[in-house]
Amino acid sequence: RYARRFERIQQHGGLPIVFQSYGLTRQPGPEIVAGYAALGRYADKYLGFELTTDLAPFGAVYELETFTGMMLVPQCVGMKHSSFHREPEWARLRQRDALRPEFQLFTGNDFAIDMIMYGSDYLLGLSTFAPDLFAIRDTYW
């Protein structure tokens, strides 16, 4: 199913994102990485996703080893990370910096939007609900 959707997204000039599902997150880490690698046959580049179960029951924040394997899939050019904790995001940033510096790690930590100071890429996840208010807030940075 992901592969079919990748094709349609790319036909319209979009960048596919692998959103999580029970079928994806309930596998062992090596199988998750293998799934991401298999998706590389259907897209030159795409983004991955990890999400705490606080936000979605089917979400998962992967073990660092699984994240690293996903990051090393050439077609996976970035990932959104939403654990709401700084430590796992810092660990991912260290892995990224050591192994694949061009990999984008988008912070989904609405409790620590300063993660960009540590190297995360900024993601305005909630800004779409009130872009004018977020623009005002951002002028204070």
Side-chain angles (χ1 to χ4, degrees):
R1 289 184 161 170
Y2 284 112
R4 285 195 310 263
R5 299 295 185 205
F6 272 23
E7 185 177 327
R8 288 193 72 191
I9 291 166
Q10 292 174 106
Q11 285 173 347
H12 290 86
L15 177 64
I17 300 174
V18 181
F19 289 98
Q20 292 177 318
S21 67
Y22 285 117
L24 179 63
T25 61
R26 299 303 179 249
Q27 300 178 84
E31 290 181 31
I32 293 170
V33 173
Y36 270 73
L39 288 172
R41 293 192 305 259
Y42 304 99
D44 292 335
K45 59 183 178 176
Y46 63 86
L47 297 175
F49 211 93
E50 57 182 348
L51 182 69
T52 177
T53 56
D54 294 334
L55 293 171
F58 53 80
V61 175
Y62 301 117
E63 297 291 327
L64 187 58
E65 183 177 344
T66 301
F67 167 82
T68 302
M70 294 163 60
M71 180 185 65
L72 294 177
V73 173
Q75 296 85 354
C76 185
V77 296
M79 182 170 296
K80 179 189 185 260
H81 173 80
S82 291
S83 70
F84 292 151
H85 298 283
R86 292 173 185 272
E87 291 79 10
E89 194 164 339
W90 284 331
R92 282 155 175 71
L93 288 168
R94 285 190 297 274
Q95 286 291 84
R96 188 237 9 229
D97 292 348
L99 301 173
R100 192 174 172 199
E102 75 281 5
F103 189 83
Q104 292 185 291
L105 185 64
F106 297 98
T107 187
N109 190 341
D110 297 320
F111 302 118
I113 58 172
D114 66 340
M115 287 301 297
I116 59 169
M117 293 177 8
Y118 303 103
S120 291
D121 294 290
Y122 191 44
L123 175 72
L124 290 172
L126 296 178
S127 69
T128 56
F129 293 109
D132 295 340
L133 295 175
F134 273 80
I136 291 168
R137 182 207 61 187
D138 288 350
T139 63
Y140 293 104
W141 284 20

